Amino acid sequence: MSMQSNIRCGAAGTAALLLAGISTPVLAQAVAGTEEATQTDDEVIVVTGSRIEGLPSDGPVQTISIGRDDIVESGAGTIIEVLQDLPVATGGGATFSTATAGPLSSDTPVGASAVSLRGLGASSTLTLINGRRAQISAFARGQESFIDASSIPLAAVERVEVLPSGASAIYGADAVAGVVNYVLRDDFEGIELTASYGNSTAGTDEGRYNITGVVGTRLGDRNSVMLVVDYFKRNPFFLRDRAISRDSFRPSQQGFYPSYNDLFFQFFDQTEEPADGGCAADDFGFGNFGEFCEVNTNAFISAQDRLETIGGLFTHQFEISDRLTWYNDVLYSRVESRGISSPANFSRAPIDPENPFWPAALQADIVEEGGVTDFSDYFGFPIFAWGKIPEPRAVEIESDSYRITSGLRGDLAGDWRFDAAFLFGGNDRIQRGLSGLVVAQNFYDLNLGNICTDGTRVERWDVDPGRPTADFVGDTCEDIGLTTLWYNPFGGQTTQEAGVAELLGTEAERSGKSRLYAFDASVNGTLLEMPAGPLKAAFGGEFRRETLRDTPSGIAVATIDNPEPILGFSSTSAEADRNSWSLYGEFYVPLAAGLDLQLAGRFDDFEGFGSDFNPKIAARWEPVDWLALRANYSTSFRAPSLAQSGAGVLLSSYRVDCEATPGACDDDPTADGEALLSEDVGNPNLGAENARSFGGGIVVMPNSDIELRVDYWNIRHEDLVGIDEDDFIRRALAGEFAVVGDGELATGTPGLEVTNGFVTDAHFQITNLGFQKTDGIDFAYTHRFGGGDAGDFTFLLDATHILNFERKASEASPLEQLAGDYLYPDFIASGKLRWRKDEWRAALSGHYKSGYRDDPSDRTLEALGLPLDSEYEVDDYLTFDLSVSYDFAEDSFIQLSLRNILDADPPRVLGSSSNVDLFNHDLIGRYATIRVTKRF
């Protein structure tokens, strides 16, 4: 069937659903005429997975709920800490906090976090707040837009509902892998104050402080208000703070003592040797290119950002009448965070041979290696340096997130209810450099004598920052009566003249704004009475406008002439806006006693990307009162995110995998690939992603104390928007993109630069890739049993076994099996034993993640003295947590939480630059939190 036919069918189907919805109040009135409708004062619950109120939680679709008590019991300080332990949110680093945070625009923004379901990516997981859309982060993760979980104050959350399966038919685009819905607190009366403090037991200071207050009251008979205020502060945590991550398995060979080569006479690089008072003996080495002085970059990198947040929630409800309520809520959060990355590299930086700081011993070594008579033979020609700026790159981010919702909900005829609301949300971010951001042009000029002490510039050398290289001209500051200001790249770069630091450093301020404007309306209720029960339905529509502006400092934007304006750092501009609208309908049909059917359909129209109709069908059959069988099928649709559709050029990094792409390594799969400071290039011709999912399961409840749920799920996700570096290299070498020599590939042009058979630069283009397909089994078991005088006990177990996770980037790429591969544990489980007796409560929980295949480079194995032809596995990982609390008054308690009580070290991961897996494992170790809550 053609795309146009699909759209017409979808529109016709949705129109029919809406026409049915328009007629529902009349039908309901007819039913009410013969049978009096019943109403209760109980709160009506909407379960994630359906727009229809009052359905059972064990319906035809699997759902997971994490309540307020679960959140408190976990001892978590942020939302992402609560969700990271969920088995359905594990795999491949797609659920992230600060593990990949850094200064590049391709990194995770410092202080940000997001959740991904089934390992399919944060952009494939729809995040809702109170069942409605949330604004995206103004800074993307590379070119992946996401909802920042760090912007939601934990004290404002009543519960988190997770629907780990495709749900576009109900909630719209992006729900490829499922939905995470943050339900906020409301209708609170009284005063609640909470204070907590936490720290590791390792002797380093990873302190965490949290103070919250909740105040709620009724104003008269019809008004109620609530205010939540949440302050949180967390100290940074560094890789150097733990023995397993302190020393990199593979230190950087570009050091604070650079390696020098004129690229003409010399064959091997030369550096300041230990015997001459230069590089420390332990850091000195000789590699493929000659001498180097290595640096342990793990000594600088923060594994957990410094974070400080202040946020809150204000809610107001006015009961206009017994059947109509006006509700309003305002959610606000300010996040200030600071992240530190490794010092920036400089490569092929031209140095003037007449720089007055050249050490005599180094000059002699270069003369000997080059086979020349005297060092003056190099005058007029640059000597190139490969090294590292001595300061780490550090950035701070200020983020303001806000969301205002105002709506009406109420009763129509019979049990029909409606809900309509306007929503405005926004995120404003500013990023500033604190250290280590060096202006490349000034760095080259200072090394070549092109700048005078008063800031005047002369043309001693004509610099080409694109390669980089320089041609000698000969003008000097002294010719015009001034003094040359020189950079000193020697002696570890620790001694510099006055004025150098001011010329080199920059804040490179980057700002971003995202906005969301939305209106939605829905109705739900009983459509008609059937022999097996009421046929319930929901109908609605939504309009959204989203805008994104990501504006970097002009000095940080890569150009054709200057592809790396700041050493080891760059940003890109992103600008996009989009309107979209949707119509949906849903039916819950009781076909027979114990047999229910859920039918849903949604039509979405995205400006610039066309339209799509997505159906869903699910069924639940209860043949006996202790057994239920369920199954579901749905399709999903995701338009490229604003960051993807509006992307410019991003500076990123990638190390060539010679085993995967031997053509990039002179056809030698055993070679060590080049570390690239690459570009990610936008694509105006992106298409939408599509997916289909199906699953089924059983629910066994032999009595009210035991419940067993087993669910199979299967998701196929096609036309993925993204970058697969290996696939791009294969396609480029096959002739699809430009392949040119060193320095010949213009900024913003997709392609490769190749030198002596090795890929030395790459401009990767974002595109629609192939597919990924994953399936597995979820297992959930709950057992409640009374212990008599010993108290009451509850045992809970949740586990996910990923049977397959296949990914094929394109027709030219091999089929990858990711389940059990690098960063993808294929079995994840969490168990908990709860106990309660009188005023005492306790919980002991365990978290298990299976091992997986490691992915070390040959250079890492050589550095560790390990065989190159062996397979390496990452060990299984098991930790235990403990929580104990005492209720000293009604709704008031003191609690001690211990995470990783056995202080288990994470397993060694040879393929990670951190030595460990920061996505799936815990590096911080045993962590204790004391919390006191008092309610008045």
Side-chain angles (χ1 to χ4, degrees):
M1 184 179 291
S2 68
M3 176 67 74
Q4 291 80 1
S5 298
N6 279 328
I7 294 173
R8 285 195 296 269
C9 291
T14 304
L17 294 174
L18 289 173
L19 287 173
I22 294 171
S23 66
T24 50
V26 178
L27 291 172
Q29 285 177 327
V31 172
T34 58
E35 182 178 350
E36 195 68 24
T38 60
Q39 296 183 0
T40 69
D41 295 329
D42 296 335
E43 181 184 4
V44 179
I45 300 295
V46 181
V47 178
T48 299
S50 175
R51 296 282 190 177
I52 301 172
E53 298 176 352
L55 297 182
S57 60
D58 63 341
V61 179
Q62 176 191 7
T63 57
I64 300 168
S65 182
I66 304 169
R68 185 74 198 161
D69 289 344
D70 301 309
I71 295 172
V72 172
E73 185 179 80
S74 71
T78 61
I79 278 286
I80 204 66
E81 291 180 41
V82 178
L83 297 174
Q84 278 179 322
D85 290 334
L86 275 182
V88 298
T90 300
T95 292
F96 59 87
S97 52
T98 58
T100 56
L104 296 180
S105 50
S106 59
D107 295 330
T108 299
V110 170
S113 61
V115 64
S116 160
L117 299 176
R118 307 298 189 195
L120 296 178
S123 60
S124 297
T125 300
L126 177 59
T127 298
L128 305 174
I129 299 177
N130 281 349
R132 290 186 166 91
R133 293 265 176 167
Q135 69 274 8
I136 61 172
S137 166
F139 293 166
R141 185 196 191 197
Q143 291 173 328
E144 180 183 35
S145 295
F146 64 93
I147 310 300
D148 185 6
S150 300
S151 68
I152 304 174
L154 186 59
V157 177
E158 179 64 28
R159 67 183 183 274
V160 183
E161 297 174 342
V162 180
L163 175 64
S165 61
S168 286
I170 296 174
Y171 294 106
D174 305 337
V176 171
V179 177
V180 176
N181 182 27
Y182 300 106
V183 180
L184 305 180
R185 302 173 75 174
D186 65 357
D187 200 24
F188 177 88
E189 292 189 37
I191 300 175
E192 180 183 274
L193 301 177
T194 298
S196 69
Y197 170 76
N199 211 330
S200 73
T201 60
T204 50
D205 185 10
E206 289 86 37
R208 189 176 72 191
Y209 315 85
N210 189 208
I211 299 174
T212 67
V214 185
V215 179
T217 187
R218 292 192 65 84
L219 303 175
D221 295 333
R222 295 189 176 274
N223 281 282
S224 63
V225 294
M226 183 191 71
L227 176 66
V228 178
V229 178
D230 186 331
Y231 172 78
F232 177 81
K233 183 179 180 180
R234 183 185 70 193
N235 291 338
F237 168 56
F238 296 88
L239 293 179
R240 63 175 180 261
D241 292 333
R242 296 296 180 268
I244 191 172
S245 57
R246 184 172 299 140
D247 299 311
S248 173
F249 293 147
R250 191 178 66 184
S252 171
Q253 293 183 0
Q254 289 184 241
F256 302 142
Y257 289 86
S259 300
Y260 299 91
N261 196 313
D262 76 322
L263 299 180
F264 187 79
F265 292 115
Q266 289 178 247
F267 187 79
F268 288 116
D269 297 347
Q270 300 294 305
T271 191
E272 298 174 72
E273 298 179 356
D276 301 321
C279 178
D282 290 342
D283 298 329
F284 180 77
F286 194 93
N288 295 333
F289 300 103
E291 295 177 351
F292 61 83
C293 184
E294 66 185 21
V295 170
N296 172 31
T297 54
N298 286 16
F300 303 94
I301 299 172
S302 58
Q304 179 175 273
D305 300 333
R306 177 182 179 271
L307 188 71
E308 186 171 9
T309 70
I310 179 74
L313 169 68
F314 173 76
T315 67
H316 166 244
Q317 296 187 49
F318 173 52
E319 299 172 10
I320 299 173
S321 70
D322 292 342
R323 301 175 63 87
L324 183 62
T325 299
W326 177 38
Y327 61 91
N328 305 274
D329 60 70
V330 179
L331 184 67
Y332 173 78
S333 176
R334 179 173 180 82
V335 179
E336 297 181 0
S337 53
R338 180 177 298 178
I340 301 178
S341 186
S342 61
N345 291 339
F346 53 86
S347 299
R348 196 189 158 102
I351 311 295
D352 192 332
E354 296 184 70
N355 185 312
F357 295 108
W358 275 97
L362 180 59
Q363 288 178 323
D365 290 341
I366 291 177
V367 167
E368 181 180 357
E369 173 62 27
V372 298
T373 303
D374 187 79
F375 193 71
S376 62
D377 293 340
Y378 290 103
F379 289 2
F381 302 95
I383 296 177
F384 298 96
W386 286 259
K388 196 178 297 291
I389 299 297
E391 276 190 321
R393 290 167 290 180
V395 298
E396 65 177 2
I397 286 184
E398 298 173 358
S399 173
D400 291 287
S401 300
Y402 36 89
R403 172 189 172 94
I404 302 171
T405 307
S406 182
L408 293 171
R409 61 171 173 252
D411 299 331
L412 300 171
D415 67 349
W416 280 87
R417 298 169 61 87
F418 79 93
D419 191 340
F422 290 96
L423 185 155
F424 168 72
N427 177 236
D428 298 336
R429 288 180 186 259
I430 295 178
Q431 174 181 285
R432 301 183 184 91
L434 300 175
S435 69
L437 304 190
V438 171
V439 180
Q441 183 69 57
N442 289 352
F443 180 73
Y444 301 143
D445 284 340
L446 286 167
N447 275 291
L448 293 168
N450 283 349
I451 301 180
C452 308
T453 52
D454 69 346
T456 301
R457 292 180 183 263
V458 297
E459 194 175 20
R460 178 175 172 82
W461 294 80
D462 180 20
V463 181
D464 176 8
R467 292 199 57 133
T469 190
D471 295 318
F472 186 71
V473 177
D475 298 341
T476 69
C477 294
E478 284 69 20
D479 291 342
I480 56 176
L482 299 174
T483 302
T484 302
L485 182 63
W486 292 94
Y487 183 79
N488 180 4
F490 310 106
Q493 308 174 69
T494 57
T495 303
Q496 301 296 340
E497 294 183 305
V500 167
E502 289 75 14
L503 283 168
L504 289 181
T506 178
E507 287 189 348
E509 182 174 294
R510 173 190 179 192
S511 62
K513 293 184 177 181
S514 74
R515 296 291 184 268
L516 170 64
Y517 310 86
F519 173 76
D520 67 86
S522 64
V523 295
N524 78 94
T526 299
L527 189 63
L528 55 87
E529 290 291 338
M530 297 180 63
L535 188 158
K536 292 180 174 290
F539 306 95
E542 178 185 17
F543 172 82
R544 296 197 313 276
R545 176 168 176 78
E546 298 172 278
T547 65
L548 174 67
R549 303 289 184 273
D550 186 352
T551 308
S553 168
I555 199 172
V557 177
T559 65
I560 293 176
D561 296 327
N562 192 358
E564 190 185 4
I566 299 176
L567 295 177
F569 176 93
S570 185
S571 297
T572 182
S573 60
E575 182 172 347
D577 55 71
R578 183 164 60 207
N579 295 335
S580 61
W581 60 270
S582 61
L583 301 171
Y584 63 84
E586 179 189 356
F587 297 94
Y588 199 84
V589 186
L591 297 178
L595 179 59
D596 301 324
L597 184 68
Q598 181 188 30
L599 298 172
R602 184 179 180 112
F603 180 79
D604 288 275
D605 182 86
F606 283 84
E607 182 182 15
F609 291 96
S611 306
D612 198 55
F613 178 76
N614 289 284
K616 178 172 185 175
I617 180 170
R620 179 182 183 276
W621 179 41
E622 187 176 312
V624 292
D625 58 5
W626 56 268
L627 175 65
L629 306 177
R630 56 189 182 188
N632 64 85
Y633 172 87
S634 63
T635 64
S636 299
F637 166 87
R638 192 184 83 83
S641 67
L642 294 183
Q644 291 169 334
S645 62
V649 177
L650 289 84
L651 187 66
S652 59
S653 59
Y654 179 70
R655 179 173 289 278
V656 175
D657 185 343
C658 295
E659 184 178 355
T661 55
C665 305
D666 201 24
D667 292 323
D668 183 1
T670 65
D672 198 19
E674 292 292 315
L676 311 180
L677 192 61
S678 52
E679 290 181 3
D680 293 348
V681 180
N683 185 347
N685 300 314
L686 291 175
E689 300 176 352
N690 292 278
R692 67 100 187 101
S693 62
F694 65 88
I698 62 171
V699 180
V700 181
M701 297 181 64
N703 56 53
S704 59
D705 295 325
I706 297 177
E707 182 176 353
L708 170 66
R709 303 186 186 200
V710 180
D711 288 277
Y712 170 79
W713 46 270
N714 185 304
I715 302 173
R716 182 182 176 91
H717 190 188
E718 298 179 335
D719 304 318
L720 308 178
V721 175
I723 291 175
D724 185 295
E725 292 87 354
D726 294 339
D727 175 66
F728 181 89
I729 290 173
R730 293 188 197 98
R731 291 161 60 196
L733 294 175
E736 191 171 339
F737 299 100
V739 178
V740 297
D742 183 35
E744 298 178 8
L745 189 63
T747 291
T749 301
L752 304 175
E753 291 183 4
V754 177
T755 304
N756 298 326
F758 283 78
V759 170
T760 55
D761 193 10
H763 298 178
F764 301 112
Q765 186 177 53
I766 187 171
T767 186
N768 287 97
L769 301 169
F771 71 89
Q772 57 186 1
K773 176 184 175 183
T774 180
D775 69 319
I777 296 175
D778 293 333
F779 177 91
Y781 179 73
T782 302
H783 192 166
R784 306 173 189 85
F785 46 96
D789 294 338
D792 296 322
F793 294 85
T794 303
F795 175 71
L796 304 103
L797 177 64
D798 290 282
T800 293
H801 178 39
I802 302 173
L803 301 174
N804 297 283
F805 198 133
E806 298 175 347
R807 179 176 294 165
K808 188 175 177 65
S810 74
E811 291 299 324
S813 299
L815 181 66
E816 301 175 87
Q817 175 56 263
L818 299 181
D821 204 354
Y822 184 62
L823 298 182
Y824 284 87
D826 58 11
F827 186 77
I828 310 99
S830 292
K832 180 178 291 186
L833 180 63
R834 283 179 175 150
W835 167 78
R836 177 154 195 166
K837 179 176 172 58
D838 301 327
E839 295 85 9
W840 288 94
R841 286 175 291 168
L844 176 66
S845 58
H847 308 284
Y848 171 82
K849 293 176 181 176
S850 64
Y852 52 81
R853 188 183 70 84
D854 208 343
D855 188 27
S857 68
D858 287 348
R859 185 177 152 198
T860 298
L861 297 177
E862 289 170 350
L864 296 173
L866 297 173
L868 302 183
D869 56 353
S870 298
E871 291 290 327
Y872 294 90
E873 295 287 327
V874 175
D875 293 337
D876 297 357
Y877 185 55
L878 176 64
T879 61
F880 294 93
D881 302 337
L882 177 66
S883 171
V884 179
S885 65
Y886 174 75
D887 296 342
F888 59 84
E890 185 177 358
D891 295 321
S892 302
F893 60 91
I894 182 170
Q895 179 191 53
L896 173 66
S897 299
L898 291 170
R899 294 177 69 90
N900 194 355
I901 56 176
L902 299 181
D903 201 21
D905 285 331
R908 182 179 72 168
V909 181
L910 301 176
S912 168
S913 61
S914 305
N915 304 353
V916 294
D917 179 352
L918 295 175
F919 294 108
N920 295 301
H921 302 151
D922 170 41
L923 177 61
I924 203 167
R926 185 188 297 116
Y927 199 93
T929 302
I930 186 74
R931 171 192 176 106
V932 179
T933 295
K934 172 63 178 175
R935 184 173 293 188
F936 303 92

